[in-house]
Structures are given as structure tokens and as C-alpha cells.
Amino acid sequence: MILVTGGAGFIGANFVLDWLAASSEPIVNLDKLTYAGNLHNLQSVQADPRHIFVQGDIGDTALLNRLLAEHKPRAVVNFAAESHVDRSIHGPEDFIQTNIVGSFRLLEAVRAHWTALPEAERAAFRFLHVSTDEVYGSLAPSDPAFVETRSFEPNSPYSASKAASDHLVRAWHHTYGLPVLTTNCSNNYGPYHFPEKLIPLMIVNALAGKNLPVYGDGMQVRDWLYVKDHCSAIRRVLEAGTPGQTYNVGGWNEKPNIEIVHMVCSLLDELRPRTDGQSYKQQITFVKDRPGHDRRYAIDARKIERELGWKPAETFDTGIRKTVQWYLEHADWVASVQTGAYRDWVQTQYAVAEPQAVGAAA
Ligand code: NAD
Ligand code: DAU
């Protein structure tokens, strides 16, 4: 039995689905069901007795103690977080509460559980913390990609809160001996990605005939990884990672945002052409930049490849095609997540993002 937190969100839900497809080991899934958590993501395992869903907060110590005592997991995988940079700029409080205070409470509850285990189970126990490349800060165009030993230079409330949680995890290992593992991954994309993030937002806006809002000059670079590859990396680190170590996870797929948006438009032009025969690129609109926008992220994933033999299975071309196809086939899922709260967020974020130029981008 393993305990997963945040398993109703984008990456967590993909992890739960992949885990149950590949293993007979049950999962307890603790998720607060914030705006980003969605039980629709887990519909296919709703009746599966190996999946025990519990709605709750990682900051709730009494609930954590009860779940750990009742289910006695051999490992905890912590996905739960507030994850959207733009939301952290509008309102950092939830990020501090969940990503820092929540991670602290989870670590403390897990430490108490782990301390009381018999010797052999203590030795085998793992706490895996899922983190981000954003803790390392921003790269100049010619800088080498992030390695695990690089110092932290977080620039947004989101990345600062994740960096704080990474430090807590590290300290719980060095001070108390808790057998922790940390993964720092680059930008994910794929099924169940909430349409506040770049790729799903572009797909759903394009299909709805709306503008495709590209921040600033669109030349910010991200390093994209198909979500199922991130999940396979986490499984591999859980299985064979060395306690106390961190592992960078990435797809060697650095691309400027505008190129990503063009690729999404070209795929939609092919798979669901506009009725007027024009390209979806006509809908691209350059808008005001994100404050403090990190210019470039890139992951050096050689350590996880060398030490644990992990490599991504998808290229960007294969992964993005699967992703666009998934959104075309799951209009019901898209509609189900576009609640009033979603529409309020879009209004808050994009009503203030004045267009700099409207129309087709070359
Ligand atoms: P997400 O926002 O889609 O999902 C987060 C999930 O956590 C939701 O289901 C939400 O309900 C739950 N949650 C939030 N606060 C909670 C709390 N206090 N208690 C319990 N559950 C809570 O996020 P995601 O994109 O799936 O990211 C998952 C993890 O991976 C995060 O820790 C994030 O920092 C990290 N990460 C994300 C990416 C990416 O590209 N999305 C890349 C690297 C790392
Ligand atoms: O690098 C890993 C991180 O990737 C994760 O830790 C975060 O949880 C995840 O949200 C993601 O952060 P980003 O800020 O890179 O992702 P986002 O999809 O919000 O934006 C990707 C890029 O696209 C970024 O440079 C901002 C830009 N962008 C985004 C949106 C939503 C736009 O140009 N227009 C938009 O409307």
C-alpha cells in the first residue's frame, strides 16, 4: 500500500491511473479537491477496490495520523501543491499554506509513523517529494542546463514555496534520518492538464474560437516532458533511488512558447480544421508579460539516466500529437472543468492582459 497526496490533480491522477494499470499494490489517495483536483480524472478507477480516495488536506495532522495508522503505507508520494505561477502572483497565501505549511505537517506525521515502524519496514520506507525545476531560477540562453547541485534561486511565490518545501524535505533527512527522495521535473503536458496552463489553454481556446494569449514576446523557453514519462520517472526513483538524493527529470525538449503554440495550431489545423479554412494561428494574440517571468528552464537529466536507467519514452512530436488528440476526444472532460470558478480565473487573469498586437503571428 502506498499513500499518494494530490492524486486528483493533473500529474497525480496520471500517476494513480498508471500505477493501478501496472501494479496490484493499492493506493490511498488524499486530495483536498481544490479547483485543480477533479474526480472526473479518476472515473475509470472509481469502482476499483485498490483505489481508496480520501478528500482532505495535507495540513490536517489528525487526518494524516489516522490514515497512516489505518493503512500503514510503505511509501508516501507527495504531489499535493498549489501549482500555477500566475495564481501565485495574484494570491500567494494558499501557496504558503499548502506548499510550505502543508508539506511540513505531512513530513511531521510521516516521521512519527516511520519512527514507530519495525526495523525492516523502517529501512524500506520512502517519502518521495515531487518538485519542480523552477526552484533553480532562470537560465540565460547559453547557460548549461540545471544540474542537481545548482543553488536555488526561485523567482515567483510558487517556486519560492516549492523551494522551501524541498529544503524541509532535505532537512528531515539530514536531521531525523527520514528516507526521502526528491524529484525536480520540467514542464509536463498530456491528458487531464488543467486548461489554465499553456498547452491545454491554447487547445481549448483555439477550439472555442478565442484568442491564444502569448505572454510578452513568446520567446521564453520551457523544457517539455510528457506526463506519463514523469510518472515512470517517479516510479523508478521510488523503486531504486538513494534516500537523501534529488533527481532532475526532463525530456531534453527545450522550446520557446511561440513554437509550442504554433505546433498546437498546426495539429488542430490538421485534425480539426477551422470551418473558414483559416489557420488557428490567426487567433494568436501577444499580451502583457507575466511579472518576473523566468526566461528559460532546461533540465540536465543525466543523473537519473546514469544511476537509475530512466529515459523518456515520448518525443515532443509524439507526445503533443497524443495530447491534442486526447483533448479532441474529451470535450466532456473539458466542459466539466470549466466551472464558474474557472471562468472567474480567466476573467481575472486575461481581462488585465491587454493585447499588444492582435491577429496572426508569423
Ligand atoms: P495540479 O494543480 O494539477 O494538482 C494539484 C493537486 O493537489 C490537486 O488535485 C489539488 O486538489 C491537490 N491539493 C492542493 N492543495 C492540497 C492540500 N492542501 N491537501 C491535499 N491536496 C491538495 O498540479 P500538478 O501539475 O499535477 O502538479 C503536481 C505536483 O508536481 C506539484 O507538487 C507541482 O509542484 C509538481 N510539478 C508540476 C509540474 C507541471 O508541469 N505541472 C512540473 C514539475 C513539478
Ligand atoms: O517547470 C515546471 C513548472 O511548469 C511546474 O512547476 C508548474 O507547476 C507548471 O505550472 C509549469 O509552470 P510554467 O509557468 O512554466 O507553466 P505555464 O503553463 O503556466 O506557462 C508555460 C509558459 O507559457 C510560461 O513561459 C508562461 C507562458 N504562458 C502561459 C499561459 C498560461 C503564456 O504565454 N500564455 C498563457 O496564457
Side-chain angles (χ1 to χ4, degrees):
M1 162 78 73
I2 65 167
L3 171 66
V4 162
T5 71
F10 163 48
I11 305 171
N14 275 287
F15 181 85
V16 168
L17 297 176
D18 289 0
W19 181 276
L20 293 174
S23 149
S24 57
E25 190 173 13
I27 286 189
V28 178
N29 182 355
L30 172 65
D31 195 298
K32 189 177 175 182
L33 296 182
T34 68
Y35 78 92
N38 187 350
L39 286 178
H40 274 92
N41 302 355
L42 299 163
Q43 222 159 20
S44 61
V45 293
Q46 206 177 11
D48 189 329
R50 296 170 305 155
H51 179 236
I52 301 161
F53 182 80
V54 179
Q55 182 171 4
D57 195 318
I58 58 164
D60 182 343
T61 301
L63 173 62
L64 291 171
N65 289 342
R66 183 171 67 70
L67 289 177
L68 290 164
E70 190 178 327
H71 298 289
K72 301 184 177 47
R74 68 165 179 94
V76 173
V77 183
N78 182 31
F79 292 95
E82 289 293 335
S83 71
H84 189 32
V85 174
D86 292 320
R87 285 188 193 252
S88 82
I89 294 166
H90 282 277
E93 175 84 30
D94 287 347
F95 291 73
I96 306 304
Q97 281 308 325
T98 286
N99 300 1
I100 306 179
V101 179
S103 296
F104 157 71
R105 298 242 171 88
L106 181 62
L107 279 165
E108 276 296 77
V110 169
R111 179 166 76 90
H113 164 72
W114 168 76
T115 305
L117 289 174
E119 185 57 36
E121 289 173 39
R122 261 169 70 91
F125 187 85
R126 296 289 181 268
F127 178 91
L128 192 153
H129 179 61
V130 180
S131 193
T132 170
D133 59 359
E134 299 203 12
V135 298
Y136 297 120
S138 185
L139 292 167
S142 57
D143 283 346
F146 299 132
V147 288
E148 288 81 356
T149 48
R150 189 185 161 96
S151 60
F152 282 15
E153 291 175 5
N155 291 318
S156 71
Y158 163 70
S159 55
S161 68
K162 289 297 290 186
S165 64
D166 290 16
H167 285 316
L168 292 175
V169 170
R170 176 188 159 87
W172 261 239
H173 175 70
H174 281 266
T175 303
Y176 305 112
L178 188 69
V180 304
L181 300 153
T182 300
T183 53
N184 292 91
C185 187
S186 61
N187 285 63
N188 285 213
Y189 67 100
Y192 305 109
H193 204 183
F194 195 72
E196 64 183 355
K197 308 281 171 67
L198 180 72
I199 289 177
L201 183 83
M202 294 298 149
I203 300 171
V204 306
N205 274 17
L207 293 171
K210 295 183 180 164
N211 285 341
L212 308 181
V214 174
Y215 297 162
D217 63 2
M219 291 306 291
Q220 302 83 8
V221 172
R222 297 293 183 266
D223 185 352
W224 295 93
L225 181 70
Y226 191 61
V227 63
K228 306 245 170 232
D229 282 326
H230 187 188
C231 295
S232 75
I234 292 169
R235 290 197 302 274
R236 184 66 192 136
V237 172
L238 189 60
E239 178 180 61
T242 303
Q245 291 290 304
T246 65
Y247 297 90
N248 282 355
V249 183
W252 305 100
N253 273 312
E254 280 188 67
K255 292 196 189 303
N257 293 336
I258 191 67
E259 192 179 324
I260 297 289
V261 178
H262 281 176
M263 286 177 81
V264 167
C265 290
S266 299
L267 280 163
L268 288 172
D269 288 341
E270 175 196 328
L271 300 169
R272 181 74 58 84
R274 271 175 42 159
T275 49
D276 63 3
Q278 300 283 313
S279 169
Y280 287 98
K281 288 177 191 155
Q282 296 288 339
Q283 292 164 233
I284 293 173
T285 306
F286 289 93
V287 300
K288 195 162 153 281
D289 210 350
R290 172 186 279 175
H293 199 169
D294 284 340
R295 197 67 182 165
R296 174 178 166 236
Y297 305 139
I299 279 283
D300 183 330
R302 281 178 296 181
K303 177 177 172 182
I304 187 171
E305 182 178 343
R306 188 177 61 244
E307 295 186 8
L308 305 181
W310 175 87
K311 265 190 188 182
E314 300 289 342
T315 64
F316 191 73
D317 284 348
T318 59
I320 193 69
R321 180 172 283 275
K322 283 185 184 174
T323 302
V324 171
Q325 271 165 341
W326 188 89
Y327 279 85
L328 289 173
E329 287 160 11
H330 291 83
D332 53 339
W333 181 88
V334 172
S336 79
V337 300
Q338 290 178 314
T339 60
Y342 175 78
R343 289 195 293 275
D344 290 348
W345 162 252
V346 169
Q347 179 65 21
T348 305
Q349 172 64 5
Y350 296 99
V352 291
E354 294 300 326
Q356 291 176 347
V358 181

